[in-house]
C-alpha cells in the first residue's frame, strides 16, 4: 500500500472521517488495525465494517425507533457472553491489546443480537465495557438507559467466573486410541459415573460386540479411551 504523504496528496483528513462516520468509529478503527507498537496500513474502506458494528451495538437498545430494554433476568447463555467479554477485556487492557478487545466486542454484539438480548443487566455493563473505546455512543446509550450521571463514573463490571463454567463436557470417545464418537456428560461427574455412563451407551455396546473392555481410561473433562 502506498505510504501517506502530503506531497502525494493522499493524506486522509480525520475531520472528514469524523464528519462521515463519527469520532467513535475512527477511534475504534484505529485500535482495530493491530497492536499499538506496530506500523499498520491505513485504508478508509475498513471503516465501513466498524461502522456496521456500531450500528448493531446501538440497535441492541432499540426496537425500531423506540427504546426497548427489559428488566427480565438474563439467561445463563447471555451472562456467559457478557462475562467472557469482561474477562477478555481485563486481559487486553493490562496488555494494551486494544485491537483484540474490539474483535471481542464484535463477537459479543453478534451473539447478543442473535439471541435478541435486550436485558438491562447485560446491556448496561456492555455499554460500560465499550465506553473507553467508543465514549460518545456509550454516553448517549447510558442516558437512554435512564442515567443522569456520566458513564465515566460507572464502576467497571466485575467478572464472575461461575458464568464461565461449563455445564456439560463433550467427551471424545476412543476405542484402542481411535475416536469413534462424542458423548455429552455433566461436567461434575466423577470418574466412576463417567465409566458407568459410557458403558451403557448403545454406541459403546455396538463397538464391544458383547465383549468386556480390558480397560477404560478416563481423563475427567478431556477424553475417554476404551481398550478392547
Amino acid at each position: 500500500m502506498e505510504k501517506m504523504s502530503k506531497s502525494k496528496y493522499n493524506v486522509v483528513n480525520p475531520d472528514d472521517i469524523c464528519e462521515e462516520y463519527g469520532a467513535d468509529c475512527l477511534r475504534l478503527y484505529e485500535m482495530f488495525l493491530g497492536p499499538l507498537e506496530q506500523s499498520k496500513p491505513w485504508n478508509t474502506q475498513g471503516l465501513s465494517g466498524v461502522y456496521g458494528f456500531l450500528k448493531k451495538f446501538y440497535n441492541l437498545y432499540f426496537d425500531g425507533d423506540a427504546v426497548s430494554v427489559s428488566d427480565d433476568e438474563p439467561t445463563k447463555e447471555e451472562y456467559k457472553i457478557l462475562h467472557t467479554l469482561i474477562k477478555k477485556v481485563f486481559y487486553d487492557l493490562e496488555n494494551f491489546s486494544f485491537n483484540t478487545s474490539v474483535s471481542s466486542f464484535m463477537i459479543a454484539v453478534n451473539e447478543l443480537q442473535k439471541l435478541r438480548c435486550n436485558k438491562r443487566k447485560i446491556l448496561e455493563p456492555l455499554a460500560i465495557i465499550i465506553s473507553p473505546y467508543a465514549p460518545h455512543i456509550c454516553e448517549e446509550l447510558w442516558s437512554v438507559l435512564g442515567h443522569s450521571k456520566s458513564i465515566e463514573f460507572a464502576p467497571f463490571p466485575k467478572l464472575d467466573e461461575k458464568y464461565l463454567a461449563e455445564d456439560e463436557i463433550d467427551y471424545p470417545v476412543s476405542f484402542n486410541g481411535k475416536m469413534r464418537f462424542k458423548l455429552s456428560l455433566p461436567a461434575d461427574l466423577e470418574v466412576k459415573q463417567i465409566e458407568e455412563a459410557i458403558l451403557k451407551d448403545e454406541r459403546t455396546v455396538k463397538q464391544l460386540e458383547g465383549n468386556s473392555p480390558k480397560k477404560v481410561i478416563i481423563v475427567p473433562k478431556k477424553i475417554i479411551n476404551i481398550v478392547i
Side-chain angles (χ1 to χ4, degrees):
M1 183 178 175
E2 186 179 45
K3 188 175 180 181
M4 283 189 186
S5 167
K6 286 184 180 179
S7 63
K8 294 180 180 178
Y9 300 100
N10 64 352
V11 174
V12 178
N13 188 334
D15 293 339
D16 294 338
I17 294 172
C18 290
E19 183 68 28
E20 184 174 356
Y21 293 100
D24 283 345
C25 187
L26 175 59
R27 285 167 61 97
L28 278 171
Y29 177 64
E30 289 191 323
M31 286 185 276
F32 186 52
L33 284 173
L36 290 176
E37 68 277 6
Q38 294 182 10
S39 59
K40 301 168 280 287
W42 220 98
N43 187 338
T44 53
Q45 291 179 353
L47 284 161
S48 59
V50 177
Y51 185 70
F53 154 70
L54 285 172
K55 285 175 66 177
K56 280 185 184 180
F57 168 53
Y58 189 85
N59 287 335
L60 287 175
Y61 300 74
F62 293 85
D63 182 4
D65 293 329
V67 177
S68 177
V69 179
S70 166
D71 288 325
D72 292 346
E73 183 67 16
T75 64
K76 188 165 185 181
E77 187 176 2
E78 290 166 341
Y79 272 129
K80 185 176 182 181
I81 293 168
L82 174 65
H83 287 270
T84 298
L85 181 62
I86 293 171
K87 186 172 185 176
K88 184 70 172 70
V89 172
F90 262 130
Y91 174 83
D92 289 343
L93 286 171
E94 289 179 354
N95 292 276
F96 299 101
S97 300
F98 304 127
N99 58 310
T100 53
S101 280
V102 177
S103 297
S104 299
F105 298 155
M106 293 176 174
I107 292 167
V109 166
N110 281 337
E111 290 177 341
L112 292 172
Q113 184 189 48
K114 286 177 185 175
L115 296 174
R116 297 187 178 183
C117 176
N118 69 338
K119 314 287 177 55
R120 180 177 292 274
K121 289 183 180 178
I122 301 296
L123 297 186
E124 282 198 349
L126 181 66
I128 296 169
I129 294 167
I130 297 178
S131 63
Y133 300 77
H136 302 90
I137 191 171
C138 291
E139 193 70 64
E140 181 182 341
L141 291 172
W142 196 242
S143 176
V144 161
L145 289 166
H147 298 282
S148 55
K149 280 190 174 182
S150 170
I151 196 170
E152 290 184 14
F153 298 105
F156 199 85
K158 292 182 179 179
L159 172 65
D160 192 336
E161 293 277 1
K162 75 179 182 183
Y163 294 114
L164 305 182
E166 296 291 341
D167 288 333
E168 290 193 338
I169 303 293
D170 280 335
Y171 282 95
V173 182
S174 300
F175 292 83
N176 294 336
K178 292 184 179 180
M179 205 273 279
R180 297 300 183 187
F181 59 86
K182 288 188 177 182
L183 177 65
S184 291
L185 293 172
D188 58 354
L189 288 187
E190 296 180 356
V191 170
K192 186 64 178 176
Q193 295 170 309
I194 296 170
E195 182 175 336
E196 289 174 358
I198 188 60
L199 293 178
K200 288 178 183 176
D201 191 280
E202 60 183 21
R203 293 166 294 181
T204 300
V205 173
K206 186 176 179 182
Q207 289 286 335
L208 291 175
E209 297 179 335
N211 299 312
S212 297
K214 293 178 181 177
K215 196 172 185 180
V216 179
I217 302 167
I218 297 169
V219 181
K221 300 184 179 180
K222 290 191 176 180
I223 60 163
I224 299 171
N225 184 37
I226 298 174
V227 180
I228 55 178

